[in-house]
Amino acid sequence: MQRMSTLFLRTLRDDPADAEVPSHRLLVRAGYIRRIAPGVYSWLPLGVRTLGRVSRIVRQEMDRMGGQEVLFPALVPRDLYETSGRWTEYGDLLFRLQDRRGADYLLAPTHEELFTTMVKGELSSYKDLPVTLYQVQTKYRDEARPRAGILRGREFVMKDSYSFDLDDEGLQRSYDAHRAAYVRIFTRLGLDHRIVAAVSGAMGGSASEEFLAPAVNGEDTFVQCTSCDYAANTEAAEVQAAPEQDPSTRPPLQVLDTPGTPTIETLVAVLREQGHDLDASQTLKNVVVTLRSPGGAEELLVVGVPGDRDVDLKRLGANVEPAEVVPFDDFAGHPGLVRGYIGPQVLADLGIRYLVDPLVVRGSAWATGANQEGRHAVGVVMGRDFEPAGTIPAAEVRDGDPCPRCGSALSVDRGIEIGHIFQLGKKYANAFSLDVLGPDGKPVRVTMGSYGIGVSRAVAAIAEQCNDEKGLVWPRGVAPFDVHVVAVGKGDDQRVAAERLALELEEAGLDVLLDDRGGSPGVSFKDAELLGVPSILVVGRSLAEGTVELRDRRAGTSTDVALADAVTAVLADVRG
RNA sequence: CGGGGAGUGGCGCAGUGGUAGCGCUCCACGUUUGGGACGUGGUGGUCGCGGGUUCGAGUCCCGUCUCCCCGACCA
């Protein structure tokens, strides 16, 4: 039993000035966390209890799916990360330091290198596989801009696991097992979550899905179908394209004088004046970018998207990995590209690669640049007047776009990335030559899966989803206590009865918080609501009639129960 | 890195060149006890840092550091 009179806690009456999002505001106000440096937080007893409950659920489910826990140093020497290439690849995101002899170390941002070398050191036979190892520990990333309290910190607790398999089929089984375990974990955590298709990003690998907790303050944007179960990160999102048409049935291309129309808006206005009934969605916007490959080589690329949409640089960027998209403005160096009047008709001749968003289909007719200052062309048909080198998802995805599976409207929403699973493949196995001997005595290169859960971030994500104007409202599984017993009233009777009930509840196996401070009732009630324990048992004025009050924090309801039935009622609440 | 804002007791904030303040918190005593109660008395601050102007700087000037927010970035 924890008594409020001795609990290391101070709640704040005012919101901290530096906190914007609810999770940050409330976790600080309710005394769960305190800021130490940008993106670095201390956890107070209430916070530790909640973080501990979240970690325990994660561990239980990882163990249940056959994972085995290991613990790595946070402080690791440079050479391991030199071997994998990440000492340089990670760039400024890596916390680096030196020991007294000047040897380079880093604070691990993630532990692929350690997992891989550990397995390499211990296992050497195909009979040892498959195996899944996991860790729950603090990791470090020198984020350019930490924000929103523990939602995006520079030091954070993460569960990372890795599966080691002999072949793709094994990897798929490990991946599926993790996916199922993650669903159980997030369900037990009380998190509303979505599994969305993702791009695997800089980590390489193929199949990749993210677990997102929908929240208005989330940093990730994703789409979900309003009628089927399709969901994807915007980077990976697909949109159903219009049907293709036969290019030969289209009216011929026509070049028009459209002076002073370097933007879609001005173009549409002028075309309308000239009697062409068009809107922006029937224009083709061609955006020039430079692609810089990891080796430093640069290539010009023009991307075509419907004119009523912007290019989504994140989406485009994710689809040109590992190359990087760099803004282009060297029109002087490329006289063939007429700023504001670029059309795809001549790009092939200029030797410039042209890709279109999948919304631009064969046989579609467009108003677009005529590659001369002040001139545009209408009736420009893909497959007749130009032929792109391919398609690339680059246009912004919008609410109402058709679902690629069923054609219903997609909805665009924000979410917090709480988990990411993907098939890493052989990147690290290759870097560290991780082989085991196969049945035929020949080495087999191991294939890996990588699966992460942001544990401290999950605490913030839960707080983000579970709060009201009064404070936090924890789901049962993660609340710092199962029940919050509040004694109010000036007499000793309430205090004595509350003490006895708290003891009985504890004996029944519950984690009990007892407010024995004896201050004014308002303070106790406000604090109880702020802290967010889901069941609040009030021992107050109705004690004279032999009853106590059992409140449901979430519903805001209150039930009178006989003193003798109180323990049973709380247990039913907590376990029900 | 670009843009915006802010640095004054534990928290939130005011401060007009002239004795550093208010609310909350905290401590003591008394009253109070079903919605952050009241009274009286108290604790707590080198006003981010360094220069400068001035008889005198929290306030004006120069420099610098830090933090927060939006964007860029981000397994």
Side-chain angles (χ1 to χ4, degrees):
Chain A
M1 182 200 317
Q2 174 67 57
R3 293 165 199 277
M4 287 278 273
S5 59
T6 57
L7 178 61
F8 187 76
L9 170 74
R10 165 178 274 169
T11 55
L12 304 179
R13 194 176 290 221
D14 299 313
D15 283 334
D18 61 351
E20 299 277 322
V21 303
S23 63
H24 187 195
R25 224 176 57 228
L26 292 171
L27 288 170
V28 171
R29 260 193 72 198
Y32 284 70
I33 58 169
R34 291 287 182 259
R35 196 191 76 96
I36 295 301
V40 179
Y41 287 80
S42 295
W43 295 74
L44 282 63
L46 284 178
V48 167
R49 291 189 77 101
T50 301
L51 185 63
R53 282 206 162 177
V54 170
S55 322
R56 194 179 66 191
I57 288 171
V58 171
R59 285 194 167 94
Q60 283 172 351
E61 294 298 339
M62 289 311 298
D63 290 342
R64 182 161 128 182
M65 59 88 59
Q68 299 176 64
E69 185 170 4
V70 296
L71 185 66
F72 291 117
L75 182 67
V76 295
R78 170 179 176 166
D79 58 342
L80 275 175
Y81 283 69
E82 202 73 82
T83 304
S84 63
R86 294 208 299 177
W87 177 262
T88 43
E89 261 178 37
Y90 241 97
D92 291 337
L93 207 55
L94 207 53
F95 270 109
R96 299 158 206 266
L97 66 162
Q98 292 188 329
D99 68 10
R100 62 174 73 202
R101 294 174 192 166
D104 288 318
Y105 283 80
L106 59 94
L107 294 175
T110 172
H111 283 87
E112 281 83 351
E113 288 80 357
L114 283 292
F115 276 102
T116 312
T117 52
M118 179 178 273
V119 169
K120 183 179 166 70
E122 308 302 321
L123 303 185
S124 47
S125 161
Y126 74 96
K127 292 182 239 171
D128 296 323
L129 301 184
V131 68
T132 290
L133 299 176
Y134 75 92
Q135 59 171 175
V136 178
Q137 56 189 108
T138 305
K139 309 212 175 187
Y140 300 85
R141 285 180 207 170
D142 193 2
E143 295 283 352
R145 189 157 95 77
R147 69 185 85 181
I150 52 172
L151 216 39
R152 178 173 208 80
R154 295 191 297 166
E155 177 182 282
F156 51 95
V157 179
M158 181 150 208
K159 187 286 301 179
D160 244 349
S161 50
Y162 292 86
S163 62
F164 299 85
D165 281 279
L166 291 169
D167 52 34
D168 292 347
E169 291 70 36
L171 173 55
Q172 188 62 48
R173 278 192 297 274
S174 294
Y175 182 90
D176 293 342
H178 271 89
R179 195 177 193 273
Y182 275 32
V183 170
R184 283 196 299 270
I185 288 169
F186 294 125
T187 302
R188 285 184 65 188
L189 292 182
L191 270 169
D192 177 24
H193 62 278
R194 305 277 187 282
I195 303 176
V196 308
V199 290
S200 38
M203 295 304 298
S206 47
S208 174
E209 289 171 295
E210 281 176 12
F211 286 73
L212 297 184
V216 288
N217 291 306
E219 291 186 278
D220 285 35
T221 309
F222 71 103
V223 301
Q224 53 187 336
C225 180
T226 49
S227 78
C228 77
D229 63 355
Y230 176 77
N233 200 307
T234 43
E235 283 93 331
E238 293 171 42
V239 171
Q240 195 171 83
E244 295 187 1
Q245 298 184 38
D246 181 356
S248 63
T249 64
R250 291 291 198 168
L253 179 152
Q254 200 186 343
V255 175
L256 307 169
D257 284 319
T258 56
T261 57
T263 64
I264 296 291
E265 198 177 26
T266 51
L267 172 64
V268 169
V270 166
L271 286 178
R272 285 196 168 167
E273 279 169 23
Q274 298 184 6
H276 297 274
D277 185 23
L278 291 173
D279 63 37
S281 68
Q282 292 159 281
T283 66
L284 184 61
K285 183 193 292 187
N286 301 292
V287 177
V288 191
V289 297
T290 304
L291 289 190
R292 186 180 296 152
S293 64
E298 296 196 345
E299 182 206 350
L300 226 50
L301 173 70
V302 177
V303 177
V305 300
D308 60 331
R309 292 173 194 257
D310 284 331
V311 167
D312 181 334
L313 284 173
K314 277 191 177 178
R315 194 163 177 239
L316 174 62
N319 284 287
V320 300
E321 292 259 356
E324 185 188 354
V325 176
V326 185
F328 171 89
D329 60 357
D330 182 24
F331 287 93
H334 298 269
L337 295 174
V338 185
R339 177 175 230 155
Y341 301 91
I342 297 171
Q345 305 88 313
V346 299
L347 294 174
D349 294 338
L350 291 171
I352 296 172
R353 191 151 67 109
Y354 183 63
L355 299 174
V356 293
D357 184 87
L359 290 171
V360 181
V361 298
R362 180 177 162 78
S364 55
W366 302 90
T368 192
N371 300 294
Q372 295 169 53
E373 182 74 31
R375 304 194 85 190
H376 277 87
V378 296
V380 181
V381 174
M382 172 159 150
R384 181 188 72 189
D385 304 314
F386 69 95
E387 196 66 65
T391 61
I392 188 164
E396 61 175 347
V397 179
R398 290 191 195 147
D399 263 328
D401 279 345
C403 170
R405 294 220 187 118
C406 72
S408 301
L410 291 173
S411 127
V412 178
D413 297 287
R414 308 272 284 172
I416 300 162
E417 183 185 354
I418 45 175
H420 194 174
I421 55 177
F422 66 102
Q423 301 189 11
L424 185 54
K426 298 179 178 168
K427 172 170 177 175
Y428 292 92
N430 284 338
F432 291 92
S433 303
L434 175 59
D435 296 329
V436 291
L437 286 184
D440 57 0
K442 294 197 173 117
V444 180
R445 184 62 35 109
V446 171
T447 185
M448 295 165 58
S450 166
Y451 320 91
I453 289 178
V455 176
S456 47
R457 177 182 283 181
V459 172
I462 295 165
E464 205 63 41
Q465 285 185 351
C466 306
N467 69 77
D468 59 22
E469 67 288 344
K470 294 174 177 170
L472 296 159
V473 190
W474 295 110
R476 297 230 167 260
V478 301
F481 293 94
D482 296 312
V483 58
H484 187 152
V485 181
V486 180
V488 298
K490 57 180 166 184
D492 284 340
D493 293 355
Q494 285 90 349
R495 191 87 62 87
V496 171
E499 288 269 355
R500 205 184 63 240
L501 279 172
L503 266 175
E504 287 174 19
L505 287 164
E506 186 167 52
E507 279 162 13
L510 299 188
D511 285 335
V512 182
L513 177 63
L514 172 64
D515 189 346
D516 57 344
R517 293 175 298 178
S520 68
V523 173
S524 291
F525 291 147
K526 292 286 186 197
D527 276 344
E529 282 151 357
L530 180 59
L531 300 195
V533 174
S535 290
I536 301 168
L537 187 65
V538 180
V539 182
R541 63 183 171 200
S542 69
L543 185 67
E545 289 89 58
T547 66
V548 292
E549 223 177 290
L550 182 53
R551 294 186 181 180
D552 183 301
R553 173 69 180 88
R554 180 181 300 271
T557 54
S558 174
T559 320
D560 284 335
V561 295
L563 189 58
D565 301 332
V567 172
T568 317
V570 172
L571 284 173
D573 232 12
V574 172
R575 293 179 180 155

